Structures are given as C-alpha cells and as structure tokens.
C-alpha cells in the first residue's frame, strides 16, 4: 500500500468515526457543549500521551515545535468547536449544520493553492454533488433561512472555513509528527474548560453518560483527529475532502439503525449523490 493509499484509508477511518458523533452526542444527556468538549479532548490527550509512551517518542520535542504549529493546531481544534457551538446557540441547528458542511467543499477548493496540487473539473463537480446530497439529507425536514439568525449563520461559515483551512494547512507541516495532535487536544481541553466556566453551568453526568463520553473521547473526538491529520498530510486531499460528505450520510444511517429515526426516500437520494460525488473525485486516483 502506497503512502497516498494509507492516507486515504486514514481519512476513511476518520469519516467513519465522525459518523458516530451524533449517536454518541444524543446519549450524553444534558452535558453542556464546552464541558463535553473539555471532557472528550482530555481523553484524546491521554490517548496521545499513551501513544507517545508506547512508541517511545521523545515528548520534549513538542516544546520545540515552532509557534506557528501550535497556532494552527489550536486554531483548528479549538477554533472550529468554539464557532460551531456559537453557531448552534445563535441559529437553528438544521441551518447551522448545513452551512457547517461547506467544509468538505472548501477543502477541495482550497487545496488548489497547495504545491503540486491541481484542481480538475471532476473534483469540483464531485464536491458539489456531495454538498447537494448533504443539503437534501440535512434539510430533508424543511429548511429556511431568516435574517434574524444572520449572526449564527456567520458563525457557521467561520467554523466551516476554520476546519477546511486547518485541514489544508496541515499539508504544509508534513514533518510534524501526527502524535503532536495529542498536545493540541490537551491545550484545547484547557481552553474549553475556560469557555465552560464563562458560558455554562457544570453538569454532573450519570455513569451511563460518562460511558458515552468515554466512547466519544476515544473515537470521534479522539482517534479521529489523529488519523485525519495523517490523511491531510499523506492522502489525496481532494478525494478525502469529497469523501467527507459520507459523514452526515453514515451518521443518519446509524441514527436510523440505533437512534429511532425513520428512514426516507431522501436518505437514498442523498446516498446516490454522495457516492457519485466521491466516485467523480476519485477519477484522478484511477488515472
């Protein structure tokens, strides 16, 4: 398996893990968003710490990382979640989530600025097909934009841009070990705790809720960020970006299977569009 194939496989693992996020989230009860982010990213930091120890890595090397590496790591992990939660608090969830899912399309478009990367027509069309599929999927129950929620919409645009630009910028730091993501998760946990103290009241979760928090911290809010970093540095960034539209689709299918959500024709139309979009974006790989 080539380095690019390994990167693409890592991206697929991240997408599968992120598709479980909605199922985990609805099972964590009334835990406030920033408190939940603090708890899950703390678990992600522990995962990174264990990985450092197992691999015998020199943890002191992270103290020598350039400031710009720390800035881009915190910008991506904390910045995305900060604006995402602001968007959900300031606008209806359906509209905010739809705007947020501009990030896979933006990854494809922004990747054109990377060295040795060329944006072809099938990349753009594939990403657009994926976005239309996500639009139908997320807006299946009816979606409408209102001027009174403009601020919330802008927050959603910002979080989409933050995550896409962070993902693309990761390509410039290919020499930085993926394990560095663990350190970024640790600092993000600290910042999230600060945001929790400012914006929220502490909630005491039950044992069952803590179990879901643990699963969430290990999977979609933990390992997923490590493999995503590897995918952005080693994989075909345009293909992985378009494939990311499978996240809301797989998430919805999991909710249908385990969350009591009723299936609809819209899901299958969205599935078709997302699969077509991913197939178009993979034309460059086959060539």
């Amino acid at each position: 398996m080539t380095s690019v194939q390994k990167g693409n496989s890592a991206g697929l693992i991240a997408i599968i893990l992120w598709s479980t996020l909605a199922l985990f989230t609805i099972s964590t009860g009334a835990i406030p968003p920033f408190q939940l982010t603090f708890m899950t990213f703390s678990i992600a930091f522990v995962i990174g710490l264990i990985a450092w120890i197992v691999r015998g890595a020199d943890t002191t090397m992270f103290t020598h990382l350039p400031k710009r590496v720390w800035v881009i790591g915190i910008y991506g992990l904390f910045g995305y979640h900060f604006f995402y939660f602001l968007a959900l608090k300031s606008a209806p969830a359906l509209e905010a989530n739809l705007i947020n899912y501009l990030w896979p399309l933006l990854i494809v478009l922004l990747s054109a600025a990377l060295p040795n990367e060329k944006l072809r027509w099938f990349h753009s069309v594939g990403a657009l097909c994926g976005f239309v599929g996500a639009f139908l999927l997320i807006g299946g129950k009816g979606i409408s934009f209102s001027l009174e929620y403009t601020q919330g919409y802008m927050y959603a645009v910002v979080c989409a841009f933050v995550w896409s630009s962070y993902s693309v910028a990761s390509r410039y730091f290919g020499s930085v070990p993926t394990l560095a993501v663990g350190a970024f998760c640790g600092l993000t946990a600290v910042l999230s705790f600060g945001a929790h103290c400012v914006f929220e009241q502490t909630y005491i979760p039950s044992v069952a809720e803590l179990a879901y928090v643990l699963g969430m911290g290990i999977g979609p809010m933990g390992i997923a960020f490590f493999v995503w970093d590897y995918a952005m540095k080693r994989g075909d960034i345009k293909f992985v970006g378009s494939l990311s539209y499978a996240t809301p689709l797989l998430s919805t299918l999991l909710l249908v299977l385990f969350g009591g959500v009723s299936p609809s024709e819209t899901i299958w139309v969205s599935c078709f569009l997302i699969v077509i979009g991913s197939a178009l974006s993979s034309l460059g790989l086959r060539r």
Side-chain angles (χ1 to χ4, degrees), residues 11-12 14-20 101 103-104 126-127 129-131 133-134 137 228 239-254 267 270-271 273-278:
L12 179 59
I15 290 166
I16 292 172
L17 289 173
W18 281 333
S19 69
T20 66
Y101 268 109
W103 66 259
C129 283
F131 179 71
L137 189 65
W228 181 256
F239 171 67
V240 176
S242 296
L243 191 63
S244 298
Y245 277 117
T247 304
L249 173 64
L250 294 175
S251 178
T252 302
L253 293 176
L254 284 175
I267 292 177
S270 300
C271 179
L273 288 170
I274 290 170
V275 169
I276 289 297
S278 298

Side-chain angles (χ1 to χ4, degrees), residues 252-268:
T252 302
L253 293 176
L254 284 175
L255 289 174
V256 168
L257 290 174
F258 303 106
V261 175
S262 300
S264 66
E265 292 182 1
T266 304
I267 292 177
W268 308 120

